[in-house]
């Protein structure tokens, strides 16, 4: 096969070169065509040049198609072929009676671009859809290889439909291992260094520097997407790549929005890019909470795209044994009777671990376990270092226990007396809150975003103002001293969480969105098994 491809490439190259050289050198002397045709073609010089260079561009695209960065590759191809054209024109002007023809240079440039575009289209449309099944084939996209809340949600969704789904990640890591352990076929399409470094707060300069790598990835994803019915972007960065890729591939896109698009979470440039991509590329936006949906609409997102589906959770039949939780306590150096709060989640300033540490100065007998690590940015890693320093302050020394990232979090929830969530910006959803409730623990959370939708103040938990360490301390003291109130909250919380966030029901809702979107794409697919709930009117 490779030999045939090489022979075709060579033939294309020879044909392109011959046609490109013919008007220059040939001019009635070297012509391979009858005299009258040659004369006719002389009038067609422009088009001949365009065609010749299109063939050259096409050849070069196929020959260099494996190079890494698409923009660099395109510039290199167009630049070198145009240089060659200029050289040919210079030669032509040295032949007596002939002059440099600017139109030919333009024809060469246009032809080269046309050839490259044709090569790209060939590569893209050569990919065929997977064999037709009754269930839509979905390509899930996620930018990270780490395990954050959005990835844990995707893990559950993809695992439930592993036979009809594949996942494309832009970074390798423990997320890939978790997906593969759940029998989900996973590919890693690496995003270049510059583009990986662009975070939610990126400015113009770093965004521009990342363009070649992003374009390259868009093309790779577009090619992969051709084999599927639906593309499902699970994160903001994967929408920026997946949105244009799905359009290019002619496939429909669902965007699962796990973030609050607002200042504090995203730079204004990123907000605009996200909203643009969602509005023009997505057929549906699944928001993880009403707060997330409201922020999307307030930033200019289309209300008619939105549907709210919360995260879902497997409800374990058995919790951790007392023996195991006691062993865990002692391994962390916590006395059996010490009143202990758990704060689970990645270490990041907006998650507010520093607020809990500040509050604990006023709750002198309490211990805290910080479960999680700095996952995504250098800023987070610096923040983690500052937390370690803060934990050494005299009022806190010996009471703050860093447990690092753990894939099995249940024993930590089970060994705690209370669970704290302290995000200083509105939390889009807040899985750790539901996990605390399901563990039957009293939960204190920041009164904002999804957290304020999950918890009913004084009924299924306590809400405090974001960033207010005094209020948090008062709530902690209340739970520590009023054990009857604590147990009532915990009991009610567990019941509410079991009723609202069972994984099966959430998975059905997601599946229904997927079928609805795929179904409107292809009439031959089954109609939705579960009718898609009509979204309530979106409040702006
Ligand atoms: N988590 C984990 N190991 C850890 C710390 C946290 O698996 O060491 C999990 C946690 O149980 C939760 C998720 O990470 O399911 C964090 O999700 P959340 O929605 O609370 O916040 P995110 O980090 O996604 O913003
Ligand atoms: C994101 C959000 C978090 C949410 C999770 C799952 O990581 O930050 O609040 O719980 O996605 O939807």
């Amino acid at each position: 096969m490779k030999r045939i491809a090489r022979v075709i490439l060579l033939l294309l190259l020879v044909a392109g070169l011959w046609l490109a050289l013919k008007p220059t050198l040939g001019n009635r002397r070297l012509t391979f065509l009858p005299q009258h045709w040659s004369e006719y073609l002389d009038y067609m010089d422009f088009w001949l040049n365009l065609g010749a260079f299109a063939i050259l561009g096409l050849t070069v695209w196929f020959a260099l198609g494996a190079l890494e960065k698409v923009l660099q590759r395109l510039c290199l191809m167009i630049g070198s072929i145009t240089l060659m054209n200029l050289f040919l024109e210079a030669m032509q002007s040295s032949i007596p009676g002939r002059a440099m023809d600017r139109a030919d240079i333009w024809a060469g440039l246009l032809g080269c671009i046309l050839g490259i575009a044709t090569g790209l289209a060939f590569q893209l449309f050569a990919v065929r859809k997977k064999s037709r099944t009754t269930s839509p084939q979905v390509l899930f996209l996620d930018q990270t290889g780490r395990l954050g809340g959005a990835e844990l949600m995707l893990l559950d969704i993809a695992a439930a439909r592993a036979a009809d789904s594949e996942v494309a990640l832009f970074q390798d890591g423990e997320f890939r291992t978790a997906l593969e352990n759940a029998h989900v076929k996973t590919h890693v399409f690496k995003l270049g260094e510059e583009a990986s470094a662009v975070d939610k707060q990126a400015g113009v300069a770093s965004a521009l520097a990342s363009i070649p790598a992003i374009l390259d990835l868009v093309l790779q994803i577009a090619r992969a997407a051709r084999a599927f019915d639906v593309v499902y972007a699970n994160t903001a960065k994967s929408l920026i790549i997946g949105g244009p890729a799905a359009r290019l591939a002619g496939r429909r896109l669902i965007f699962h929005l796990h973030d609050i698009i607002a200042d504090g979470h995203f730079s204004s440039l990123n907000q605009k890019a996200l909203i643009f991509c969602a509005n023009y590329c997505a057929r549906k936006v699944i928001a993880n909470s009403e707060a997330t949906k409201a922020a999307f609409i307030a930033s200019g997102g289309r209300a008619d795209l939105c549907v709210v589906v919360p995260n879902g959770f497997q409800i374990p039949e058995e919790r951790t044994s007392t023996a195991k939780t006691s062993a865990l306590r002692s391994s962390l150096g916590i006395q059996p009777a010490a009143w202990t709060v758990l704060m689970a989640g990645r270490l990041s300033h907006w998650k507010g671990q520093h607020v809990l540490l500040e509050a604990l100065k006023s709750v002198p007998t309490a211990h805290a376990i910080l479960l999680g690590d700095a996952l995504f940015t250098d800023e987070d890693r610096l923040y983690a270092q500052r937390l370690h320093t803060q934990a050494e302050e005299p009022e806190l020394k010996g009471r703050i226990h860093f447990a690092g990232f753990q894939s099995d979090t249940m024993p930590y929830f089970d060994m705690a007396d209370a669970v704290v969530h302290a995000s200083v910006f509105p939390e889009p959803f807040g899985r750790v809150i539901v996990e605390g409730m399901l563990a039957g623990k009293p939960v204190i959370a920041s009164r904002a975003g999804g957290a304020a939708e999950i918890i009913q103040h004084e009924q299924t938990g306590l809400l405090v103002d974001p960033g207010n360490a005094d209020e948090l301390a008062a709530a902690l003291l209340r739970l520590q001293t009023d054990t009857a109130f604590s147990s009532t909250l915990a009991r009610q919380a567990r019941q509410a969480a079991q009723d609202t966030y069972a994984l099966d029901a959430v998975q059905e809702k997601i599946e229904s969105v997927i079928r609805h979107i795929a179904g409107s794409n292809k009439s031959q697919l089954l109609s939705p098994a579960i009718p898609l709930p009509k979204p309530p009117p979106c409040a702006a």
Side-chain angles (χ1 to χ4, degrees):
M1 191 66 193
K2 269 192 180 158
R3 240 182 85 198
I4 298 175
R6 259 189 238 127
V7 171
I8 294 175
L9 272 183
L10 203 68
L11 285 176
L12 273 173
L13 192 68
V14 170
L17 275 173
W18 169 250
L19 287 172
L21 289 170
K22 197 197 77 60
T24 302
L25 302 179
N27 195 34
R28 297 190 184 89
R29 270 174 283 141
L30 260 173
T31 182
F32 62 93
L33 292 169
Q35 193 72 12
H36 67 283
W37 271 108
S38 167
E39 275 164 14
Y40 176 66
L41 284 173
D42 246 10
Y43 293 114
M44 303 277 289
D45 216 9
F46 180 91
W47 298 107
L48 199 65
N49 230 325
L50 189 134
F53 282 92
I55 295 175
L56 278 179
L58 181 70
T59 318
V60 178
W61 173 271
F62 282 139
L64 303 183
L67 282 186
E68 239 214 349
K69 305 252 168 72
V70 84
L71 207 64
Q72 285 168 6
R73 176 170 58 196
L74 291 181
C75 292
L76 192 82
M77 287 177 193
I78 295 170
S80 51
I81 294 181
T82 303
L83 263 181
M84 185 179 123
N85 197 8
L86 277 168
F87 174 70
L88 289 178
E89 285 299 320
M91 273 175 68
Q92 164 163 299
S93 62
S94 70
I95 297 174
R98 303 210 58 171
M100 172 99 87
D101 190 347
R102 284 223 190 113
D104 275 359
I105 296 173
W106 282 112
L109 193 67
L110 282 177
C112 173
I113 294 170
L114 190 82
I116 289 170
T118 314
L120 170 65
F122 263 128
Q123 280 193 342
L124 206 60
F125 293 103
V127 180
R128 296 196 166 249
K129 257 194 195 175
K130 286 170 181 287
S131 58
R132 200 174 302 282
T133 63
T134 50
S135 180
Q137 301 294 304
V138 179
L139 177 65
F140 291 98
L141 306 178
D142 195 295
Q143 82 229 22
T144 179
R146 310 303 304 271
L147 272 170
E151 288 67 40
L152 289 166
M153 174 73 186
L154 175 56
L155 182 60
D156 284 334
I157 301 169
R161 57 180 343 282
D164 302 302
S165 307
E166 290 179 23
V167 176
L169 304 179
F170 305 162
Q171 200 186 55
D172 207 351
E174 62 268 17
F175 185 27
R176 179 181 56 79
T177 317
L179 283 162
E180 285 173 354
N181 288 343
H183 308 290
V184 181
K185 197 165 172 195
T186 307
H187 314 263
V188 179
F189 292 90
K190 284 222 170 108
L191 187 56
E193 292 274 305
E194 309 87 339
S196 302
V198 178
D199 58 18
K200 290 178 183 177
Q201 296 296 337
V204 181
S206 57
L208 284 180
S210 65
I211 287 177
I214 288 181
L215 278 180
D216 201 46
L217 194 56
V218 167
L219 290 183
Q220 290 186 55
I221 298 294
R223 243 172 86 75
R226 291 277 307 160
F228 295 85
D229 296 303
V230 173
V231 178
Y232 189 115
N234 192 54
T235 51
K237 217 180 258 183
S238 74
L239 171 73
I240 301 289
I241 308 282
R247 281 219 152 231
L248 207 59
R251 297 291 177 261
R252 298 194 171 194
L253 179 109
I254 297 171
F255 174 36
H256 199 144
L257 176 60
H258 293 277
D259 296 298
I260 287 194
I261 303 180
D263 296 346
H265 285 288
F266 291 93
S267 71
S268 70
L269 181 76
N270 276 355
Q271 290 180 36
K272 287 195 182 86
L274 270 176
I275 295 294
F276 179 83
C277 276
N279 282 351
Y280 292 101
C281 302
R283 292 296 173 125
K284 204 79 196 163
V285 173
I286 301 177
N288 62 0
S289 67
E290 291 292 340
T292 301
K293 176 175 116 177
F296 174 73
I297 296 165
S299 319
R302 276 171 48 197
D304 61 304
L305 291 178
C306 289
V307 58
V308 173
V309 182
N311 278 223
F313 297 81
Q314 205 109 49
I315 296 163
E317 277 168 18
E318 269 181 50
R319 303 291 317 186
T320 321
S321 67
T322 319
K324 201 168 168 195
T325 53
S326 308
L328 193 55
R329 261 181 184 253
S330 73
S331 74
L332 287 165
I334 304 172
Q335 293 300 314
W339 195 78
T340 304
V341 293
L342 173 78
M343 186 158 171
R346 60 200 151 97
L347 306 182
S348 182
H349 182 269
W350 78 271
K351 289 288 183 181
Q353 281 89 358
H354 60 285
V355 183
L356 172 65
L357 265 53
E358 194 54 39
L360 281 180
K361 290 180 183 168
S362 311
V363 193
T365 56
H367 284 241
I369 302 167
L370 298 187
L371 177 64
D373 211 342
L375 285 191
F376 298 125
T377 62
D378 286 341
E379 221 182 3
D380 291 349
R381 285 178 270 279
L382 268 176
Y383 175 72
Q385 281 171 15
R386 285 207 302 276
L387 281 177
H388 279 272
T389 313
Q390 192 182 357
E392 288 304 309
E393 287 176 21
E395 304 105 299
L396 295 173
K397 203 168 166 52
R399 294 198 287 135
I400 313 299
H401 310 270
F402 290 86
F405 181 88
Q406 303 292 335
S407 47
D408 184 12
T409 57
M410 195 162 80
Y412 291 85
F413 280 95
D414 288 338
M415 67 166 278
D417 295 291
V419 170
V420 169
H421 163 270
S423 292
V424 295
F425 293 135
E427 181 73 48
F429 178 77
R431 291 176 61 90
V432 288
I433 301 167
V434 180
E435 286 161 353
M437 293 164 79
L438 286 171
K441 303 294 168 177
V443 181
I444 305 171
S446 289
R447 187 183 288 107
E453 292 165 35
I454 297 170
I455 286 185
Q456 247 191 303
H457 186 52
E458 306 250 338
Q459 298 297 314
T460 55
L462 292 177
L463 292 172
V464 296
D465 278 347
N468 189 333
D470 292 338
E471 213 187 323
L472 178 57
L476 285 167
L477 283 166
R478 186 173 173 196
L479 291 184
Q480 191 182 23
T481 48
D482 192 346
T483 49
F485 174 63
S486 265
S487 322
T488 310
L489 272 191
R491 192 170 20 82
Q492 292 173 178
R494 176 153 48 192
Q495 193 56 54
Q498 284 177 352
D499 293 346
T500 319
Y501 302 108
L503 184 59
D504 289 353
V506 167
Q507 272 164 347
E508 275 181 15
K509 281 187 195 154
I510 303 263
E511 190 59 28
S512 142
V513 174
I514 291 174
R515 282 176 181 270
H516 177 75
I517 294 306
S520 54
N521 197 15
K522 292 191 329 180
S523 53
Q524 54 271 63
L525 284 174
L526 287 185
S527 55
I530 305 126
L532 190 68
K534 241 197 154 100
C538 295

